[in-house]
Amino acid sequence: AQKVTQAQTEISVVEKEDVTLDCVYETRDTTYYLFWYKQPPSGELVFLIRRNSFDEQNEISGRYSWNFQKSTSSFNFTITASQVVDSAVYFCALIHSYNNAGNMLTFGGGTRLMVKP
Amino acid sequence: EPEVTQTPSHQVTQMGQEVILRCVPISNHLYFYWYRQILGQKVEFLVSFYNNEISEKSEIFDDQFSVERPDGSNFTLKIRSTKLEDSAMYFCASSDGGLKPQHFGDGTRLSIL
């Protein structure tokens, strides 16, 4: 069985602060993929990033960066210089790769980020 | 940018009634999914569909649920006899590979009275 845990249910920061959202996962598979999705107040789910289990390089995209550490089963997400528009619920998710016929995403419970002006 | 579209955006139904939620996946995608999110909770997988058959389903996806791709563009979720606990946001998603990012629609809010 696989599991994704986002221990921070809610984080509040002031604009321009950096913030890190934690994600810890459990899986018995050696090959898997990790994702982050953003759910703004309007409710849709927006894909942010996918990482496979063999690629531990950190990734940066603008103000967003992701730190994948297999040794601690973590895939943390940092927003640098946060903005009010970053306010949303962020979900970490995992796919195991036992087949290639369309696999389920296992989501964490989400972290609600509130960025205050 | 191509997107997944879902209709209706909000559906209100009496308990025991059948409901069909509709989705138009991204046109070149071959993998389709339904998820649900009870208010304030995590997103839960229901079912995945590929090559005209269900490829994986969760425990939630019992005999009350069914999926169909009635034509080349639509993907539907049917709940045969709705219960109060079926009230949730239902998301459709599609991807162009079984392990590729799944792109979600805006969801259908289902309210069972």
Side-chain angles (χ1 to χ4, degrees):
Chain A
Q2 49 195 29
K3 187 178 175 184
V4 178
T5 302
Q6 296 179 252
Q8 307 148 308
T9 52
E10 203 165 290
I11 300 176
S12 182
V13 300
V14 176
E15 209 169 18
K16 296 185 184 160
E17 284 184 20
D18 299 347
V19 59
T20 295
L21 310 181
D22 297 333
C23 172
V24 172
Y25 62 90
E26 295 172 33
T27 179
R28 289 185 212 145
D29 298 312
T30 54
T31 303
Y32 51 88
Y33 292 79
L34 294 161
F35 299 78
W36 276 94
Y37 282 84
K38 174 181 179 179
Q39 187 174 44
S42 46
E44 71 272 26
L45 285 162
V46 179
F47 164 72
L48 295 178
I49 189 172
R50 179 184 80 149
R51 214 77 185 127
N52 77 53
S53 52
F54 297 108
D55 183 0
E56 287 194 71
Q57 270 195 327
N58 290 336
E59 179 151 344
I60 298 175
S61 175
R63 296 184 297 106
Y64 294 172
S65 62
W66 290 269
N67 184 339
F68 176 32
Q69 291 199 340
K70 215 165 170 179
S71 60
T72 55
S73 298
S74 65
F75 185 44
N76 297 337
F77 173 28
T78 297
I79 302 174
T80 303
S82 58
Q83 299 175 1
V84 172
V85 292
D86 296 327
S87 297
V89 180
Y90 291 87
F91 290 97
C92 181
L94 169 73
I95 272 184
H96 60 92
S97 63
Y98 80 91
N99 73 49
N100 195 28
N103 294 332
M104 62 179 274
L105 276 166
T106 297
F107 282 84
T111 297
R112 180 177 300 278
L113 174 65
M114 291 177 291
V115 182
K116 298 178 183 172
Chain B
E1 188 175 319
E3 56 182 33
V4 176
T5 56
Q6 291 186 242
T7 54
S9 56
H10 191 190
Q11 173 86 43
V12 181
T13 300
Q14 292 286 333
M15 189 171 60
Q17 295 295 305
E18 175 182 286
V19 65
I20 297 176
L21 309 183
R22 302 181 192 279
C23 170
V24 179
I26 295 172
S27 62
N28 63 337
H29 287 185
L30 299 176
Y31 301 80
F32 314 115
Y33 313 84
W34 284 100
Y35 291 81
R36 79 171 185 193
Q37 184 181 30
I38 294 171
L39 188 62
Q41 298 187 23
K42 68 165 70 174
V43 180
E44 301 173 291
F45 171 78
L46 293 176
V47 65
S48 59
F49 190 87
Y50 170 69
N51 203 23
N52 283 318
E53 60 182 23
I54 290 173
S55 47
E56 192 172 9
K57 61 182 181 179
S58 71
E59 292 174 354
I60 303 168
F61 194 87
D62 62 20
D63 293 344
Q64 294 286 82
F65 292 88
S66 62
V67 289
E68 196 177 35
R69 185 148 164 85
D71 53 42
S73 58
N74 290 283
F75 180 52
T76 62
L77 173 70
K78 183 195 287 186
I79 309 175
R80 265 180 266 285
S81 177
T82 49
K83 306 181 197 118
L84 292 175
E85 54 264 38
D86 294 327
S87 295
M89 180 75 93
Y90 287 80
F91 289 103
C92 174
S94 69
S95 67
D96 61 359
L99 301 171
K100 293 283 187 72
Q102 295 173 22
H103 296 273
F104 286 77
D106 289 348
T108 293
R109 180 164 299 285
L110 178 62
S111 301
I112 308 299
L113 305 178

